[in-house]
Amino acid sequence: MLDLRPNCEYCGRDLPADSADARICSYECTFCADCVEKHLKNVCPNCGGGFVARPIRPGREWRPGVSRTHQKPSEKRVHLKKDKAEINVFVAKVSGVPARER
Ligand SMILES: [Zn+2]
Ligand SMILES: [Zn+2]
């Protein structure tokens, strides 16, 4: 199941489960739309992959036992594993390759 992480790894801002601004890579690394655009240029600093908008898990129980009340978002905040200078170099290298060809 998708891990709905509570914050942007880059700037630390909150990204609640109903946020339209959350972006994820295929490993569920989670960033805000601003950081993906301005700082990361659609390059995940952890894996090099691209991002998509994180889907919003329903807040209401439309089907029995299925909602974000039943399958709760993560409360574990995640932080960058590399410093921002290293990430800048990485992003400059990888962003020249289209996400589908990485
Ligand atoms: Zn951010
Ligand atoms: Zn990633």
Side-chain angles (χ1 to χ4, degrees):
M1 185 183 3
L2 183 67
D3 194 22
L4 300 170
R5 299 180 185 171
N7 66 290
C8 172
E9 275 189 42
Y10 194 93
C11 71
R13 65 174 270 200
D14 289 344
L15 292 170
D18 62 354
S19 172
D21 292 328
R23 301 290 179 269
I24 54 172
C25 80
S26 76
Y27 293 98
E28 308 170 322
C29 306
T30 304
F31 296 87
C32 72
D34 282 350
C35 288
V36 164
E37 184 187 346
K38 290 179 191 153
H39 302 297
L40 301 174
K41 303 185 183 358
N42 200 35
V43 174
C44 175
N46 302 318
C47 69
F51 291 101
V52 295
R54 186 176 70 186
I56 301 196
R57 184 170 299 162
R60 280 185 276 173
E61 190 180 8
W62 297 101
R63 295 287 195 183
V66 182
S67 77
R68 61 177 184 264
T69 309
H70 296 81
Q71 292 79 36
K72 293 195 184 305
S74 168
E75 293 177 1
K76 189 174 170 235
R77 298 182 79 83
V78 180
H79 306 286
L80 289 177
K81 290 143 197 84
K82 308 279 187 186
D83 66 41
K84 290 183 179 175
E86 196 277 352
I87 288 171
N88 277 342
V89 173
F90 182 77
V91 165
K93 181 172 74 175
V94 178
S95 62
V97 182
R100 287 190 64 189
E101 296 167 23
R102 291 180 203 150

